[in-house]
Amino acid sequence: MWTYKTAVDWKSGKTGETRCEGKPTVEVATPPEFGGPENIWTPEDLLTSAVATCVMTSALFFFDRAGIRLNAYKSDATATMEKTPNGLAITGIRIDITVGIEDAAQEEAARKAVEQAEKSCPLSNSMTCPVTVELLFI
Amino acid sequence: MWTYKTAVDWKSGKTGETRCEGKPTVEVATPPEFGGPENIWTPEDLLTSAVATCVMTSALFFFDRAGIRLNAYKSDATATMEKTPNGLAITGIRIDITVGIEDAAQEEAARKAVEQAEKSCPLSNSMTCPVTVELLFI
């Protein structure tokens, strides 16, 4: 069992900050579409990044295990929030990944590693919505 | 329907960065217990903060609606990750909230606002695990 501890404190208006021991503080706010300011990380942004980061760190693990050396890994993630019978909820997260590998012969192995990453990512496993991954090679 | 877009790019080793247009870039990494470095935000940290921030921004909405003026709102959040039959997953998030309000007579209304926030928080609604909230007044 592992535990993760962070703090979230209100500052003023619809803004606050989140802290995690030893790590840079991040300013947070209500999204603009719900009355918050622009240009500050929102809960929905943080969740989207959390899941996309989990897929990346899981992929790094499976690339390592398969002996695949990376040149590049970039990803764009989009979360969709909708009204549901249970209230507002995230209804899907799509992650578009672009990967560059040193040995082009390992493309199929790399594809499998990303599939394994998506399946074993602890955060994908903790969401009620589907997390879909699209993979391109450069 | 609302959409939230972020990017996660690998930098080196088990580290990368996440970006959201117009917002400060945040360095991210695999957690130390899975071979990552210390002092960098992990996916699990980001998720914990995302849910705790969502509870706070939802609470701010319900405080406003009830005419409750805040002096302080602080929260400590702990997520638990465990092995489950479906692999590693977040199995619970506990949020300890401390609130200071201007008018002590509104304590019961403030308690109700926090309960509503927990229930209507879109991110709590999107997690497979329970999100529990404990509230203290200062």
Side-chain angles (χ1 to χ4, degrees):
Chain A
M1 194 181 92
W2 299 265
T3 55
Y4 298 88
K5 289 175 186 289
T6 73
V8 177
D9 296 342
W10 173 68
K11 292 291 161 188
S12 65
K14 295 188 182 300
T15 69
E17 62 181 29
T18 184
R19 291 175 287 106
C20 190
E21 205 182 329
K23 305 173 189 185
T25 295
V26 179
E27 204 180 352
V28 293
T30 301
E33 56 272 30
F34 298 107
E38 297 280 348
N39 298 333
I40 298 182
W41 284 87
T42 69
E44 292 79 3
D45 299 332
L46 290 173
L47 178 82
T48 308
S49 284
V51 174
T53 301
C54 189
V55 169
M56 180 186 78
T57 56
S58 300
L60 293 175
F61 171 81
F62 288 108
F63 288 145
D64 259 4
R65 205 168 72 167
I68 296 165
R69 294 173 70 102
L70 279 186
N71 291 325
Y73 177 109
K74 293 175 181 294
S75 60
D76 291 305
T78 304
T80 302
M81 186 164 80
E82 292 176 277
K83 284 181 186 162
T84 75
N86 297 321
L88 284 176
I90 305 297
T91 52
I93 299 176
R94 176 190 163 119
I95 307 175
D96 289 284
I97 302 172
T98 307
V99 159
I101 55 177
E102 284 195 5
D103 180 357
Q106 291 184 308
E107 206 171 284
E108 199 44 44
R111 188 174 293 283
K112 202 170 160 188
V114 171
E115 274 168 25
Q116 286 177 298
E118 194 285 317
K119 281 201 184 70
S120 67
C121 160
L123 301 202
S124 300
N125 283 345
S126 308
M127 302 295 303
T128 56
C129 69
V131 176
T132 54
V133 169
E134 297 292 328
L135 177 62
L136 273 180
F137 289 94
I138 49 168
Chain B
M1 196 180 91
W2 300 264
T3 55
Y4 299 89
K5 289 175 185 290
T6 72
V8 177
D9 297 343
W10 173 68
K11 291 291 161 187
S12 65
K14 295 187 183 299
T15 69
E17 63 181 30
T18 185
R19 290 174 288 106
C20 191
E21 205 182 329
K23 305 173 188 186
T25 296
V26 179
E27 204 182 352
V28 293
T30 302
E33 56 271 31
F34 298 106
E38 298 279 348
N39 298 334
I40 298 182
W41 284 88
T42 70
E44 292 80 2
D45 299 332
L46 289 173
L47 177 82
T48 309
S49 284
V51 174
T53 301
C54 189
V55 169
M56 180 186 77
T57 56
S58 301
L60 293 175
F61 171 81
F62 287 109
F63 287 145
D64 259 3
R65 205 168 73 165
I68 296 165
R69 295 174 69 103
L70 278 186
N71 291 324
Y73 177 108
K74 294 174 179 293
S75 62
D76 292 305
T78 304
T80 303
M81 187 165 78
E82 293 177 276
K83 284 181 186 160
T84 75
N86 297 323
L88 285 176
I90 305 296
T91 52
I93 299 176
R94 179 192 161 118
I95 306 175
D96 290 283
I97 302 172
T98 308
V99 159
I101 54 177
E102 284 195 5
D103 179 359
Q106 291 184 307
E107 205 171 287
E108 199 44 44
R111 186 174 297 282
K112 203 170 159 190
V114 171
E115 275 167 26
Q116 286 176 298
E118 194 285 318
K119 281 201 185 72
S120 67
C121 159
L123 302 201
S124 300
N125 283 345
S126 308
M127 301 295 303
T128 56
C129 69
V131 176
T132 53
V133 169
E134 296 291 329
L135 177 61
L136 273 179
F137 289 93
I138 48 169

